[in-house]
Amino acid sequence: MASSAVDGVADGTADDGTDAAVTSDDGAVDAALASDEGAAEDGAGPLVVHTVAELRALRPRETRAVVMTMGALHAGHLALVREARRRAHEVVVTIFVNPLQFSSAADLETYPRTLDTDVALLRAEGVDVVFAPSVEEMYPGAQPQVRIVAGRMGEVLEGEHRPGHFDGMLTVVHKLLNLTAGDVAFFGQKDAQQLALVRRMVADLNMGIDVVAVPTVRDPDGLALSSRNVHLSPTDRTAALVLSRTVLAGARAAEQGRPPAEVLEAARAELATAAPGDVRTDYLELVDPVTMSPYPDVGGAGDALLVIAAQVGTTRLIDNAVVSWADPGHR
């Protein structure tokens, strides 16, 4: 889920479809932690609950917003929280490292768990409730026998390289949406396929909750924020910048009126500037942002999404950009 968010559930297109990106501010995180020291002395929230019974005992206010994360919060997660705070009377943040999303037991074991720091950051943002359940609380007895299956949309792109990941993500998102009883949920645009699948699940199952996309948050050099970035060496981090340059090159080609095939060519040309061996690409594709199917060379309707995933050093990263044509005739 957010790791981005769920990086899972956390991070550019705004919810109105306009291309957007947010620049991170590491100082803002430090300031939030400093601010929290005073808030803690005043006994300010959030209320931290660990059980389903505690969560269900809380009566929702007029509008409840939900932000789902796996913890290890960064500025990308906080952007989700701020948008939730702006739109709703009450904000609930979930922190749960979901074992169903990990194919490697070692990755699950080493995933950072920083609850105290996360709560401090959320306190400074005015979050009302933090739901931080244990694995046993979420999946009593064993892993669930009944799960959400992502279907064809979950078998391509990320799903091809991480089999079963989206089934685990949708299962826990569905469960958390039921438990938190939110009116609106916020997800990061960085995890574009996750966002599309959550929207499809909500529509297909008539869940009655609004799903809002929040723009990707980037460092000043363009790198999309991810909890995985901490694993990048200085050399790897420099090499990783080709991902954001690649999707931006494609987006600019569309702005210049070039057709879909040439948009992809422009992106591939930028990706080719990476030093051999520095970046090992899993995929670079132009897709429909709703279905995640390949965007047609002719006759496409609406915006497209340029998505990339690559291994940089020992770290796997993803990025994307919305591709828009001013003149629909160029599609």
Side-chain angles (χ1 to χ4, degrees), residues 5 23 34 67 80 87 136 141 143 150-151 161 177 188 196 223 251 278 282 289 318:
T23 302
V67 177
L80 299 178
R87 295 198 186 202
E136 294 73 20
Q143 292 191 0
H161 294 273
L177 289 176
L223 185 67
D278 282 357
D282 284 343
I318 62 174

Side-chain angles (χ1 to χ4, degrees), residues 220-264:
D221 58 10
L223 185 67
L225 291 196
S226 168
S227 299
R228 300 179 181 188
N229 291 354
V230 298
H231 301 301
L232 295 169
S233 69
T235 300
D236 290 340
R237 197 185 188 291
T238 299
L241 297 179
V242 75
L243 274 70
S244 58
R245 295 200 309 268
T246 294
V247 296
L248 181 59
R252 285 175 174 165
E255 290 173 359
Q256 295 164 3
R258 296 165 67 180
E262 293 184 19
V263 167
L264 200 49

Side-chain angles (χ1 to χ4, degrees), residues 2 35 37 42 45 69 84 107 124 133 149 156 159 165 221 231 240 266 274 280-281 292 302 314 318 325-326:
S35 170
E37 294 178 4
D42 294 337
T69 81
D107 288 346
V149 177
V156 299
H165 168 76
D221 58 10
H231 301 301
R280 300 179 298 284
T281 308
M292 307 308 291
T314 61
I318 62 174
W325 288 267

Side-chain angles (χ1 to χ4, degrees), residues 51-188:
T51 70
V52 171
E54 290 174 314
L55 181 63
R56 285 181 166 163
L58 303 176
R59 185 186 298 273
R61 297 188 206 160
E62 293 177 47
T63 304
R64 175 179 278 185
V66 181
V67 177
M68 284 168 276
T69 81
M70 293 205 299
L73 303 184
H74 53 62
H77 299 103
L78 299 184
L80 299 178
V81 170
R82 288 172 190 143
E83 186 64 14
R85 178 82 280 165
R86 188 178 73 84
R87 295 198 186 202
H89 298 90
E90 180 183 36
V91 177
V92 177
V93 175
T94 69
I95 298 176
F96 177 63
V97 181
N98 180 29
L100 303 188
Q101 290 173 237
F102 290 82
S103 58
S104 165
D107 288 346
L108 174 61
E109 182 66 26
T110 59
Y111 192 87
R113 291 159 171 85
T114 56
L115 182 60
D116 290 344
T117 300
D118 293 342
V119 170
L121 289 168
L122 297 174
R123 179 179 294 119
E125 296 296 335
V127 167
D128 300 284
V129 179
V130 173
F131 179 49
S134 65
V135 173
E136 294 73 20
E137 185 70 18
M138 286 294 289
Y139 305 126
Q143 292 191 0
Q145 296 299 305
V146 177
R147 307 188 187 199
I148 302 293
V149 177
R152 175 61 183 160
M153 279 180 67
E155 296 172 354
V156 299
L157 303 172
E158 282 299 285
E160 180 179 349
H161 294 273
R162 303 171 70 185
H165 168 76
F166 287 124
D167 294 353
M169 179 276 293
L170 290 176
T171 297
V172 79
V173 167
H174 187 278
K175 188 160 188 168
L176 288 170
L177 289 176
N178 283 337
L179 290 172
T180 54
D183 301 291
V184 57
F186 293 80
F187 292 83

Side-chain angles (χ1 to χ4, degrees), residues 207-231:
M207 296 179 66
I209 185 169
D210 292 332
V211 176
V212 175
V214 177
T216 299
V217 179
R218 301 182 180 276
D219 278 328
D221 58 10
L223 185 67
L225 291 196
S226 168
S227 299
R228 300 179 181 188
N229 291 354
V230 298
H231 301 301

